[in-house]
Amino acid sequence: MAASRALRALRLPAASCARGNSNRAAVGHLHRQLYGRRYPVLLVNTDGSTVRLRYSEPKRILMMPLDSNTLPEAERKARLRRHFPSKPKAKEEETFEGIDLDTYKKFWKK
């Protein structure tokens, strides 16, 4: 009994508290891969329909990827053109041979 009193007297006051408080929780956070609960999430299917479900990560919306193999050929090519547009074509340089300079005479300084 005397030994336990001596050990309690030797401990530092800040380290004697075994429970954490709100200040301790504000300093650090848990680095975790898995969350302990499920969160409500809106799942959007490829046809536009929506389903509410519980998901392991806190997100608002999940979108299902579109399978391009199920699309018609014309729509699949149109989607590919939108995602990978062609390079812009080089413009032809203007020549001043066909321009009548008398029409712009009023803009010249005298």
Side-chain angles (χ1 to χ4, degrees):
M1 187 135 175
S4 66
R5 281 188 203 154
L7 286 176
R8 272 189 260 152
L10 289 176
R11 279 194 251 168
L12 295 172
S16 64
C17 181
R19 290 179 47 175
N21 57 15
S22 63
N23 296 332
R24 166 85 171 102
V27 171
H29 66 280
L30 296 175
H31 298 281
R32 56 180 148 184
Q33 297 293 324
L34 297 174
Y35 291 89
R37 58 174 286 219
R38 301 278 181 169
Y39 298 90
V41 173
L42 186 69
L43 176 70
V44 180
N45 292 323
T46 55
D47 61 349
S49 62
T50 59
V51 178
R52 290 204 175 269
L53 54 92
R54 311 284 294 171
Y55 193 64
S56 60
E57 295 181 15
K59 296 186 177 193
R60 291 185 184 215
I61 295 178
L62 287 176
M63 295 183 72
M64 297 297 291
L66 182 66
D67 186 16
S68 61
N69 295 331
T70 60
L71 294 175
E73 188 69 24
E75 190 173 342
R76 188 174 64 80
K77 285 185 178 180
R79 286 181 65 85
L80 285 173
R81 277 195 301 269
R82 275 185 300 206
H83 284 286
F84 304 106
S86 61
K87 295 180 182 176
K89 296 178 181 176
K91 295 182 180 178
E92 296 179 13
E93 294 184 17
E94 295 182 16
T95 58
F96 297 106
E97 295 170 358
I99 296 176
D100 184 22
L101 295 178
D102 292 332
T103 57
Y104 300 102
K105 195 179 243 184
K106 59 184 173 186
F107 299 112
W108 298 343
K109 291 185 179 179
K110 293 184 180 180

